[in-house]
Amino acid sequence: MLKVDNINVYYGNIHAIKDVSFEVNEGEIVTLIGANGAGKSTILKTISGLLRTKTGDVILKGESIKSVAPHKIVAKGLAHVPEGRRVFLAMSVEENLEMGAYTQPASSIAPNMQEVFQWFPRLKERRRQMAGTLSGGEQQMLAMGRAMMSGAKVLLLDEPSMGLSPLLVKEIFEIITELNKRGMTILLVEQNAQMALSVAQRAYVLETGRIIMQGSAAELLNDDSVRKAYLGA
Amino acid sequence: MSLISQIISQLVNGLQSGSIYALVALGYSMVYGIILLLNFAHGDIIMIGAYVVFYAMTSFSLPPLVAVLLAVIACTLLGALIEKVAYTPLRSAPRLSLLITAIGVSFLLENGAQLVFGAGAKNVPSFIDGGVQIGDVYLSYVSVVTILVSVASMVVLTFLVQKTKLGKAMRAVSEDMGAAQLMGISLNRTISFTFAVGSALAGIGSVLYICAYGQASPTMGSMLGLKAFVAAVLGGIGSIPGAMIGGFVIGLLEALVTAVGLSTWKDGVVFAVLIVVLLVKPTGILGRQITEKV
Ligand SMILES: Nc1ncnc2c1ncn2[C@@H]1O[C@H](COP(=O)(O)OP(=O)(O)OP(=O)(O)O)[C@@H](O)[C@H]1O
Ligand SMILES: [Mg+2]
């Protein structure tokens, strides 16, 4: 479904991503774990087109998207929920959701929004409220709902648990699992490795821009070095 | 003439020039809001609009309404063209390069106009004459039309920005360019659209300006542009309602300064306002803090 093939990404002279390759198959949840500054967000931004790779390729459904403009990648069925949510604070919940459906025909906005409201009933209550007045958890829901409005089949999630209470983290992860059950392919970036490994089927471990380990989520959950470095055990 | 009617006359004068400042300030603010560029060529677009009206009415003897339409169309196209040719290639360049380019474009337009149209001012035939006497207040039709057209343009703009898909995209891009792209919004299209709308407003402003002052000259855009820029900063650069408020405040302030007999100090007072705003509240009346994101 999504294939990252030997990418190298730079910020000026800083070589942030080094020879990274991985794959997400249709219907999978794959997680990318790593410490602060490992390069997780950089990889997601490269997939969604905000950053460019110097080498290799990014392939979505068999088609290279490494030189496709970001706004056209969304239309190909890949949505990216960025780190820190980045909802439009000066716009209402409804307007944020409309923006999520920017590439969709106007007729699909209403039904898509109803569906998002079923996933996140709290957004429905607050639909006329400015996004800037939502709580962190609600903003995360809005960011995810907004991405779902695009009708995407592949979802990139960058630290959805960041700054949320344990209860909300649980709620968000239940929704991620449920979305996946209904056919969504998900690439999940997390610092909360415990949570991420408990919902994912496979995982890659990133360290200073390189993939240093990969395997099934269960394998990594039981791996000593992973437990030491990322699970605080 | 009683004090009251003097105040009313000055108020009308202030609102008239204020509405022109507001229209021009909107262009500065919208463009700044979306790409953080102080588009110093914006004032000169007005000058081109004024020449279009002049030539349309004199050389081609077109009716005023057609001349006005041509001016607005010409300004819209020119604004979008400048953005494509001069600013789009600098999308990822440092902001200072963009600013210097804007100043360059401004020089190009002013000097180009001098070369093509001549350095002297051209008198544009007036096309809104007369007025009404209400008590001892004389209300010229130009003032009335200027204020009405400006307010109507602002209502249309507000609708455009608040309710239409492109308008919402504009707000999204100006709040967070990266996130907007992730929604599927095309930066190029949205930015071109912003320039086009801002320039169309400048076109309307240019027509209203020559209705009031009857002259087109190659440098007319620079003072008008600077004052509108002050209005935009006063209102809070990047804010659309801020630009409207700032424009009217500057216009009324000038009228006030004139009313108390200090008309030679008019320009000085406007720029003093800029300095005070920058010192006391750099974000202006309605401005927001702009945070930069990838
Ligand atoms: N805009 C930038 N300019 C220069 N260097 C950057 C920029 N963004 C990220 N980097 C560097 O690239 C590396 C990877 O950053 P990235 O944001 O991808 O890490 P991350 O794994 O997402 O970290 P976190 O968990 O803190 O979000 C870091 O060393 C970071 O300092
Ligand atoms: Mg990150």
Side-chain angles (χ1 to χ4, degrees), chain A residues 78-122:
Chain A
L78 181 141
H80 177 176
V81 181
E83 184 176 348
R85 293 127 201 175
R86 311 241 315 237
V87 293
F88 302 113
L89 300 174
M91 293 177 126
S92 69
V93 167
E94 246 169 12
E95 283 175 332
N96 268 278
L97 294 175
E98 278 172 40
M99 289 297 99
Y102 200 80
T103 57
Q104 300 297 301
S107 60
S108 71
I109 291 181
N112 283 6
M113 208 179 282
Q114 283 318 312
E115 203 185 318
V116 167
F117 287 153
Q118 273 167 18
W119 286 101
F120 305 106
R122 238 181 296 179

Side-chain angles (χ1 to χ4, degrees), chain A residues 47-50 52 63-74 76:
Chain A
I47 296 172
S48 59
L50 293 177
R52 296 295 179 199
E63 182 191 352
S64 168
I65 54 167
K66 77 163 175 179
S67 326
V68 178
H71 69 272
K72 293 192 176 141
I73 293 178
V74 193
K76 293 182 187 293

Side-chain angles (χ1 to χ4, degrees), chain A residues 7-12 14 16-17 39-55 58 65-70 73 80 158, chain B residues 178 181-182 294:
Chain A
I7 61 170
N8 281 277
V9 185
Y10 297 77
Y11 291 105
I14 302 167
I17 300 299
K40 306 180 296 293
S41 300
T42 304
I43 291 178
L44 294 197
K45 285 179 190 165
T46 308
I47 296 172
S48 59
L50 293 177
L51 295 171
R52 296 295 179 199
T53 172
K54 278 243 166 82
T55 63
V58 179
I65 54 167
K66 77 163 175 179
S67 326
V68 178
I73 293 178
H80 177 176
D158 197 341
Chain B
Q181 283 176 284
L182 294 181
V294 180

Side-chain angles (χ1 to χ4, degrees), chain B residues 26 30 153-161 197 201 240 244:
Chain B
L26 281 166
M30 287 165 64
S153 310
M154 290 178 211
V155 171
V156 171
L157 175 73
T158 306
F159 173 81
L160 192 78
V161 170
V197 172
L201 293 171
I240 287 176
M244 298 176 188

Side-chain angles (χ1 to χ4, degrees), chain A residues 14-226:
Chain A
I14 302 167
H15 192 175
I17 300 299
K18 299 158 191 155
D19 306 323
V20 164
S21 302
F22 64 91
E23 227 174 313
V24 185
N25 300 312
E26 187 163 359
E28 261 189 324
I29 301 183
V30 169
T31 182
L32 208 57
I33 57 179
N36 282 114
K40 306 180 296 293
S41 300
T42 304
I43 291 178
L44 294 197
K45 285 179 190 165
T46 308
I47 296 172
S48 59
L50 293 177
L51 295 171
R52 296 295 179 199
T53 172
K54 278 243 166 82
T55 63
D57 211 345
V58 179
I59 292 161
L60 177 67
K61 298 176 200 161
E63 182 191 352
S64 168
I65 54 167
K66 77 163 175 179
S67 326
V68 178
H71 69 272
K72 293 192 176 141
I73 293 178
V74 193
K76 293 182 187 293
L78 181 141
H80 177 176
V81 181
E83 184 176 348
R85 293 127 201 175
R86 311 241 315 237
V87 293
F88 302 113
L89 300 174
M91 293 177 126
S92 69
V93 167
E94 246 169 12
E95 283 175 332
N96 268 278
L97 294 175
E98 278 172 40
M99 289 297 99
Y102 200 80
T103 57
Q104 300 297 301
S107 60
S108 71
I109 291 181
N112 283 6
M113 208 179 282
Q114 283 318 312
E115 203 185 318
V116 167
F117 287 153
Q118 273 167 18
W119 286 101
F120 305 106
R122 238 181 296 179
L123 292 182
K124 187 173 186 179
E125 294 161 28
R126 290 169 166 62
R127 58 216 249 212
R128 303 209 191 285
Q129 205 168 314
M130 288 294 132
T133 64
L134 298 180
S135 73
E138 289 159 356
Q139 286 187 7
Q140 185 60 49
M141 294 175 188
L142 179 56
M144 288 176 63
R146 189 176 67 169
M148 286 153 66
M149 290 293 289
S150 70
K153 295 281 172 282
V154 182
L155 211 51
L156 312 182
L157 300 175
D158 197 341
E159 302 204 30
S161 74
M162 190 167 64
L164 303 188
S165 70
L167 206 68
L168 263 176
V169 172
K170 204 169 149 258
E171 204 178 317
I172 295 279
F173 273 85
E174 275 165 15
I175 288 170
I176 293 172
T177 311
E178 191 55 37
L179 272 172
N180 173 250
K181 277 193 192 138
R182 301 214 200 155
M184 186 76 85
T185 303
I186 295 171
L187 175 58
L188 172 66
V189 156
E190 264 299 340
Q191 283 198 43
N192 188 339
Q194 179 75 52
M195 264 302 195
L197 290 172
S198 69
V199 298
Q201 284 101 45
R202 291 189 305 115
Y204 295 84
V205 181
L206 198 67
E207 202 174 281
T208 57
R210 275 183 207 285
I211 288 179
I212 55 160
M213 204 184 291
Q214 65 185 76
S216 77
E219 266 166 38
L220 291 186
L221 260 177
N222 293 316
D223 182 280
D224 279 344
S225 59
V226 171

